[in-house]
Amino acid sequence: MKNLEGKIVVVTGAGSGIGRALALQLAAQGAQLALCDVNETNLQKTVDIAAAHGVKVYSAVLDVSKREAFQTFADNVARALGNASVVINNAGVALSQNVEAMNRQDFEWVLNINFWGVVNGCEAFLPQLRQQKDAHIVNISSIFGIIGVPSQSAYNASKFAVKGFTEALRQELNGSNIHVTCVHPGGIKTNIARNARVHNDMFGKAADPKKLAADFDKLAATTAEEAARQIVRAIETNQKRLLIGKDAKALDAIQRLLPNHYDTVLGVGYKLMNKLAKR
């Protein structure tokens, strides 16, 4: 999809981070936007900035884990703007907790948003995408959809599921008008760590949410704006798989080269990161 001008693009989790950066870059290119987020205040701020570019913007407060609500959103987008050409399932949350102590409610919260939110978005908009000459789905997984990390089992499970779902969907749609991209960001400077439910760190110790968020900010190597730029480029070039950040590319390479031993290598890295974060 070489030209996004005039295309109707759906972005979930548009109230902040990568979602907001995507909305603003797409608006600058002249795309019409259908934006949603669970936070009404943040969403409205994104809408105001995007609309200043002179493009049409439809928005709605939405919990992506609610299947019926997502379908209603899709129906309203079609009525307000027309059939979507691009759907970017970006909304996500994080949880830091080890398996033995994990609250099942927290586990389901992560899966419902990170995985079922993606499924709901694809199901709701696929009929609209089918009506377009050229269409695209982007599902945001994570580098944690490629490697497992202590204290991130719920997040890992959700992002591995997004990867598998997206790769299967891409093969099902092969040869059709709909292209599919799975995105694996590394550390991105967003509020995801700040808004996470935090119980313990990767060493199993009780964690201070503010400190964990500050440590994440120190280690996150890529801005949301740069991540959005790469995602837009992946849409334009029909890229199947996108790793964002040197950290994501390095970790992916380690996992591929040492599938049975990457956890040992990463264990050394975790200790180093812990030392760097304390500085």
Side-chain angles (χ1 to χ4, degrees):
M1 187 176 293
K2 295 182 180 180
N3 188 357
L4 292 170
E5 183 176 2
K7 302 293 185 182
I8 298 167
V9 183
V10 178
V11 182
T12 70
S16 62
I18 295 175
R20 174 176 288 174
L22 280 165
L24 301 187
Q25 290 186 32
L26 291 163
Q29 291 191 20
Q32 300 180 64
L33 300 175
L35 308 178
C36 66
D37 197 279
V38 72
N39 186 307
E40 183 174 9
T41 300
N42 290 349
L43 176 63
Q44 189 57 52
K45 184 174 181 180
T46 301
V47 170
D48 291 342
I49 301 172
H53 288 277
V55 298
K56 291 183 180 179
V57 181
Y58 171 78
S59 67
V61 175
L62 176 67
D63 179 346
V64 297
S65 71
K66 307 299 183 183
R67 186 181 184 186
E68 291 184 3
F70 216 136
Q71 185 60 59
T72 298
F73 174 65
D75 293 341
N76 289 340
V77 169
R79 280 190 285 268
L81 300 175
N83 289 328
S85 291
V86 180
V87 176
I88 306 174
N89 290 303
N90 163 75
V93 294
L95 169 68
S96 183
Q97 176 66 298
N98 60 323
V99 173
E100 288 182 297
M102 191 182 305
N103 181 300
R104 178 54 66 92
Q105 185 177 2
D106 284 345
F107 201 159
E108 292 179 353
W109 172 69
V110 173
L111 287 175
N112 287 341
I113 294 171
N114 291 3
F115 175 61
W116 286 112
V118 168
V119 175
N120 292 339
C122 291
E123 288 183 341
F125 280 99
L126 269 170
Q128 294 185 31
L129 299 176
R130 285 286 192 187
Q131 301 304 310
Q132 305 290 23
K133 182 179 180 180
D134 191 18
H136 208 112
I137 294 172
V138 177
N139 292 336
I140 309 296
S141 177
S142 168
I143 186 57
F144 285 5
I146 295 174
I147 63 166
V149 178
S151 80
Q152 296 298 308
S153 58
Y155 189 78
N156 280 142
S158 68
K159 294 302 186 176
F160 269 79
V162 168
K163 177 180 183 290
F165 174 81
T166 304
E167 292 184 357
L169 178 64
R170 183 175 64 240
Q171 293 176 68
E172 291 174 10
L173 295 175
N174 185 41
S176 76
N177 64 312
I178 305 173
H179 303 277
V180 180
T181 300
C182 191
V183 180
H184 298 278
I188 310 295
K189 295 183 185 298
T190 70
N191 288 325
I192 190 167
R194 197 163 285 104
N195 296 329
R197 294 183 181 180
V198 176
H199 300 286
N200 63 254
D201 61 21
M202 64 175 59
F203 302 102
K205 298 179 180 178
D208 177 357
K210 291 183 178 180
K211 182 181 182 302
L212 200 64
D215 291 346
F216 178 84
D217 288 342
K218 292 178 183 177
L219 297 171
T222 308
T223 65
E225 290 72 23
E226 174 58 21
R229 187 194 68 76
Q230 292 186 35
I231 292 169
V232 171
R233 181 60 179 161
I235 296 170
E236 294 171 337
T237 58
N238 293 328
Q239 191 169 336
K240 294 179 180 180
R241 182 174 185 262
L242 174 63
L243 291 161
I244 299 179
K246 292 180 180 179
D247 51 349
K249 293 173 182 177
L251 291 169
D252 176 63
I254 291 171
Q255 192 279 333
R256 286 173 178 273
L257 290 170
L258 301 168
N260 293 318
H261 303 287
Y262 78 86
D263 54 334
T264 302
V265 176
L266 296 184
V268 176
Y270 299 151
K271 293 178 181 179
L272 178 60
M273 287 190 296
N274 190 42
K275 291 181 180 179
L276 291 173
K278 289 180 178 179
R279 292 182 179 179

